[in-house]
Amino acid sequence: MYFQLAWRNIWRNSRRTAVIMIAIVIGVWSMIFLSAFMRGMEYDMIKNGISTLTGNIQIHQKDYINDPVIENSMHSPIKLETALKKVLPPVAHWASRIRVNAIASNARHSSSITLVGINPIPEAKVSFIGNAINNGCYLKPGDMRGIIVGQALLNKFETKVGHKLVLMSQDTDQEIASRSFRIIGTFKAQLQATEKQFAFVTITAARQMLKLKKGISEISIILPDNADANPVATGLKTELSADLYQIQTWQELLPILNAYIEIFDGFIFIWFIVVFIAMGFGIVNTTLMAVFERMREFGLLKALGMKPWWIIKDVLLESFLILIIGMIIGNLLAFLCVFALAQSGIDLSAFAAGAEFAGISRIIYPAVWIEDVIISNIVVIILGLLVSLYPAAKAARFTPVEALMHT
Amino acid sequence: MGIVECKDIKKTYQQGKIEVHALKDVSLSIDKGGFAALAGPSGSGKTTLLNIIGGLDQPDSGSVSVAGNTFEKMTQSQLALLRLHNVGFIFQSYNLIPVLSAVENVEFVMLLQGVQATQRRERAMAILDDVGLEGKYHRRPAELSGGQQQRVAVARAIVSNPSIVLADEPTANLDSKTGNGLLEMMRKMNEEKKVTFIFSTHDKMVMDYARRLVLIRDGRIVDDKIK
Ligand SMILES: Nc1ncnc2c1ncn2[C@@H]1O[C@H](COP(=O)(O)OP(=O)(O)OP(=O)(O)O)[C@@H](O)[C@H]1O
Ligand SMILES: [Mg+2]
């Protein structure tokens, strides 16, 4: 009967109740949907960051990060391989590369790029390049002249697949090495910047050009679960001497990305606060209005022998019902939106220029984190009840004496 | 000792800068089973006295006890429980909870008392029959006439056998015929169920019904007749 009483009371002014419920629905919906969108963006940034040649973990010669030149290569790949086989989980993939700065030029243009010498087969399982070819073909092992460039670089150089491209870099003898390659394919990446930055040749071609025997610049490792990056890195550190090698996780390799993600988390938090403040004011206001309208009634309830605390509980029960209904609808709506957009994603093309700067794809797939959902719901219900305490306490104080004075 | 004992009650209200002495030194003792009227002109302090007896308002000085409970050191919650089990209230109007039907309004007090559901319904219906509202159980207050609403209020006030029922001008909003019917009914309840009634009025006809008539003027008892 308490429930019935509360239920009938909230529908006495159905318009007002509907308005506050809609506010709660929008609040909850936006909290869940926005955080799903942000998480989707975060996930996308991490995925892009990792697949753009970073991997979950990288191994370099210890001076390479500060001075990424060909002299700072790792010269005993066999030793590395045994360490990797020992530490990595069986489903992990890894690839060795040579990576140097170079100048690419043709008759009309020149540009500074990063030349990456790869083992085509393992590389395809580690970075994006394996399935990013949009024109021509991918590198075959042992190809000594073929080069793959980004579509954007191709356009910038006003050239075509099949044409020549000359690369220059410093070799192991500190001399300028130069070699001409033939463009055999182009790749598409999420970001234009990636397409302009990287050019791929086979590791054998790169070694020949740079006069390197069997050295490599880096090993990039992909783990089945991103969360394993830290423990695996620790495992590798015990196997490989810190005097020779530097082992870094993606968080260390992409500090800016990491900072972005922290900012995103901050955004979500701030949004939760904003939504809540707006909603909280709405709840306090409407509940206060509802309570003042029924001043006589609360006086009557007191006269009937209700303890002040029972009256508080009554008002809170009414708020609780409104909150719960609003939350259920808000959750359903949010999940519906996420579900509807899970397939097609959210197209950010309109903002692509700005988004690209941050390393975000054009299309974002919202990702629901159950923690976010739980937190938004708890925030709404707990704080909703807390702010209802004020009008409830007011209601508990009305006496028929006062109530009659207000007529 | 009476079921209601008031001793030297003083109550002053502040209305802006003016002090209104609503009650000046009122002492009153009402016996169990009484049917007493507090009569007096408007503003004489009748409502104030009833509210104080019901524990809804506190006197500035003096002591009140109802059914052996002295109010002085009681908390709001204790006073509420005392009302719940010992005091029934009937106001001039707005007595009922608008979203509850007649029978639910009567049940509500028993709900607060923790009476079990089926028993609640049975007793509520029986008492509504007693006050002449058979068949109107499920009407909401808005669907009842003023007189019928007051009958529901009486039914609710006496359903849990309180020690006293305090009625503040229960007939003021009713025409004299309906008012008469209601008074008749209250007296019947008083006689049958031995419930003490204290009501306030300034209606001559109502005063005639009372077995004891207490006259108040300017916050003082000026006359007290037992008929
Ligand atoms: N809450 C209050 N605040 C200020 N003054 C009050 C308050 N309640 C009553 N009074 C004043 O106290 C005096 C007595 O009021 P009370 O309501 O007890 O009179 P009453 O006899 O019930 O009058 P009526 O027949 O009009 O109902 C009046 O002058 C009234 O204005
Ligand atoms: Mg009065």
Side-chain angles (χ1 to χ4, degrees):
Chain A
M1 195 155 151
Y2 291 116
F3 176 84
Q4 277 175 335
L5 181 65
W7 181 254
R8 290 180 199 168
N9 273 328
I10 65 176
W11 295 113
R12 265 161 94 168
N13 191 327
S14 48
R15 173 131 43 108
R16 184 171 54 211
T17 301
V19 166
I20 190 65
M21 254 182 211
I22 289 170
I24 294 168
V25 168
I26 293 175
V28 172
W29 172 83
S30 77
M31 278 159 114
I32 296 177
F33 185 71
L34 193 91
S35 56
F37 176 70
M38 291 285 211
R39 297 302 182 195
M41 213 130 98
E42 255 179 51
Y43 174 79
D44 180 78
M45 281 166 74
I46 294 173
K47 200 187 72 187
N48 279 350
I50 286 175
S51 76
T52 309
L53 303 187
T54 306
N56 299 102
I57 299 174
Q58 282 192 352
I59 306 172
H60 295 106
Q61 202 264 11
K62 77 171 178 21
D63 296 320
Y64 180 87
I65 290 291
N66 292 326
D67 189 12
V69 292
I70 196 70
E71 292 94 301
N72 289 334
S73 300
M74 298 180 285
H75 294 288
S76 41
I78 308 292
K79 203 174 131 201
L80 285 167
E81 220 167 289
T82 31
L84 287 171
K85 281 190 180 137
K86 194 168 156 198
V87 175
L88 294 190
V91 270
H93 297 288
W94 53 274
S96 348
R97 303 178 184 133
I98 288 173
R99 189 163 164 163
V100 288
N101 293 324
I103 306 278
S105 56
N106 68 2
R108 270 174 270 182
H109 299 273
S110 72
S111 171
S112 139
I113 58 152
T114 301
L115 174 65
V116 189
I118 56 172
N119 283 317
I121 294 166
E123 185 67 38
K125 292 191 178 122
V126 170
S127 70
F128 75 103
I129 191 66
N131 44 27
I133 304 298
N134 70 327
N135 235 322
C137 58
Y138 185 52
L139 289 164
K140 288 184 188 61
D143 187 335
M144 299 307 284
R145 288 286 160 190
I147 188 167
I148 293 177
V149 297
Q151 181 68 48
L153 191 86
L154 194 85
N155 298 344
K156 184 180 160 194
F157 273 46
E158 297 175 86
T159 181
K160 284 200 288 232
V161 171
H163 287 200
K164 258 175 40 176
L165 193 68
V166 176
L167 293 196
M168 275 189 293
S169 185
Q170 201 181 53
D171 67 17
T172 41
D173 303 334
Q174 316 257 329
E175 309 267 329
I176 297 294
S178 147
R179 186 178 175 97
S180 101
F181 289 92
R182 187 166 301 279
I183 300 171
I184 61 163
T186 60
F187 68 87
K188 271 303 247 184
Q190 293 284 3
L191 311 179
Q192 292 250 322
T194 310
E195 290 179 18
K196 283 184 186 157
Q197 188 188 352
F198 295 105
F200 296 88
V201 300
T202 60
I203 198 163
T204 32
R207 280 193 183 128
Q208 197 175 70
M209 170 180 169
L210 301 166
K211 303 205 179 80
L212 192 67
K213 287 205 186 64
K214 43 180 189 167
I216 53 174
S217 328
E218 75 183 17
I219 289 179
S220 174
I221 301 163
I222 284 286
L223 298 171
D225 186 349
N226 194 18
D228 293 338
N230 279 313
V232 172
T234 314
L236 284 170
K237 278 176 193 164
T238 59
E239 289 296 317
L240 298 169
S241 152
D243 296 337
L244 289 175
Y245 302 104
Q246 186 172 28
I247 294 150
Q248 290 168 298
T249 62
W250 65 272
Q251 284 109 320
E252 297 163 300
L253 290 159
L254 303 167
I256 294 185
L257 179 61
N258 220 14
Y260 267 126
I261 287 166
E262 268 161 32
I263 292 173
F264 271 28
D265 288 351
F267 266 140
I268 293 177
F269 182 70
I270 289 170
W271 182 247
F272 278 22
I273 291 179
V274 167
V275 165
F276 194 76
I277 289 174
M279 222 158 58
F281 272 108
I283 293 173
V284 170
N285 260 320
T286 44
T287 318
L288 264 183
M289 259 201 291
V291 158
F292 272 105
E293 270 177 21
R294 279 154 55 202
M295 195 145 70
R296 280 170 173 286
E297 231 173 288
F298 290 116
L300 172 68
L301 294 178
K302 266 199 136 172
L304 290 181
M306 272 184 97
K307 292 184 188 178
W309 168 235
W310 297 351
I311 294 177
I312 291 179
K313 278 199 296 193
D314 253 26
V315 176
L316 289 184
L317 180 61
E318 289 173 26
S319 292
F320 180 77
L321 287 176
I322 296 178
L323 285 164
I324 282 287
I325 295 173
M327 278 167 56
I328 290 173
I329 301 175
N331 277 281
L332 284 177
L333 222 60
F335 277 100
L336 221 71
C337 286
V338 169
F339 184 75
L341 290 168
Q343 299 302 314
S344 60
I346 301 161
D347 196 342
L348 290 185
S349 313
F351 319 99
E356 192 159 304
F357 166 71
I360 301 164
S361 308
R362 291 174 192 91
I363 292 181
I364 296 297
Y365 298 89
V368 172
W369 275 29
I370 205 71
E371 295 96 311
D372 291 336
V373 175
I374 293 172
I375 289 173
S376 0
N377 282 301
I378 289 180
V379 161
V380 170
I381 196 87
I382 301 273
L383 293 183
L385 287 177
L386 274 183
V387 298
S388 302
L389 263 178
Y390 171 62
K394 270 237 147 35
R397 277 206 293 271
F398 293 139
T399 65
V401 186
E402 275 177 80
L404 287 168
M405 292 303 289
H406 283 84
T407 44
Chain B
M1 204 172 105
I3 192 111
V4 174
E5 291 286 345
C6 298
K7 236 189 153 64
D8 308 327
I9 290 183
K10 291 198 179 83
K11 178 75 186 178
T12 305
Y13 288 115
Q14 201 73 38
Q15 285 183 352
K17 290 216 168 73
I18 311 158
E19 286 198 335
V20 181
H21 300 281
L23 294 175
K24 311 166 187 163
D25 237 339
V26 170
S27 295
L28 181 67
S29 168
I30 292 185
D31 292 327
K32 193 166 177 359
F35 196 69
L38 302 175
S42 186
S44 54
K46 306 180 293 290
T47 300
T48 308
L49 184 55
L50 285 178
N51 284 339
I52 286 174
I53 294 173
L56 289 173
D57 207 351
Q58 277 70 48
D60 297 331
S61 66
S63 73
V64 188
S65 80
V66 169
N69 301 278
T70 307
F71 287 5
E72 259 166 314
K73 296 228 166 69
M74 289 170 73
T75 63
Q76 287 293 317
S77 297
Q78 288 170 326
L79 285 170
L81 283 183
L82 179 76
R83 279 196 295 276
L84 180 58
H85 295 283
N86 291 303
V87 184
F89 264 101
I90 302 167
F91 299 103
Q92 185 177 326
S93 55
Y94 302 104
N95 268 302
L96 305 181
I97 300 165
V99 294
L100 298 182
S101 67
V103 71
E104 287 168 336
N105 260 287
V106 177
E107 274 186 62
F108 190 71
V109 176
M110 290 187 277
L111 172 77
L112 297 180
Q113 290 175 337
V115 178
Q116 184 229 340
T118 47
Q119 210 188 341
R120 249 169 22 212
R121 185 52 54 113
E122 243 168 62
R123 275 166 65 185
M125 287 187 164
I127 203 100
L128 283 173
D129 292 348
D130 284 352
V131 300
L133 288 174
E134 48 282 287
K136 309 224 164 49
Y137 309 131
H138 300 295
R139 297 224 189 145
R140 294 274 178 97
E143 300 159 349
L144 294 167
S145 73
Q148 289 168 336
Q149 287 181 31
Q150 290 305 75
R151 282 165 186 264
V152 177
V154 173
R156 184 187 55 200
I158 59 178
V159 71
S160 49
N161 301 314
S163 317
I164 50 166
V165 171
L166 303 173
D168 192 7
E169 305 195 40
T171 60
N173 280 1
L174 307 177
D175 60 66
S176 59
K177 194 165 154 263
T178 320
N180 243 318
L182 191 78
L183 279 164
E184 200 67 63
M185 197 205 73
M186 294 204 292
R187 201 144 92 186
K188 193 179 109 197
M189 294 295 148
N190 168 254
E191 277 158 14
E192 282 176 9
K193 306 202 189 251
K194 307 284 176 256
V195 181
T196 313
F197 274 81
I198 306 172
F199 51 92
S200 73
T201 184
H202 44 215
D203 182 344
K204 190 86 191 73
M205 180 196 75
V206 180
M207 296 177 209
D208 295 341
Y209 264 93
R211 282 203 305 275
R212 178 172 171 192
L213 185 60
V214 181
L215 273 175
I216 303 186
R217 187 156 300 153
D218 276 339
R220 276 184 220 282
I221 295 179
V222 291
D223 196 11
D224 192 345
K225 295 188 280 237
I226 298 174
K227 290 190 253 175

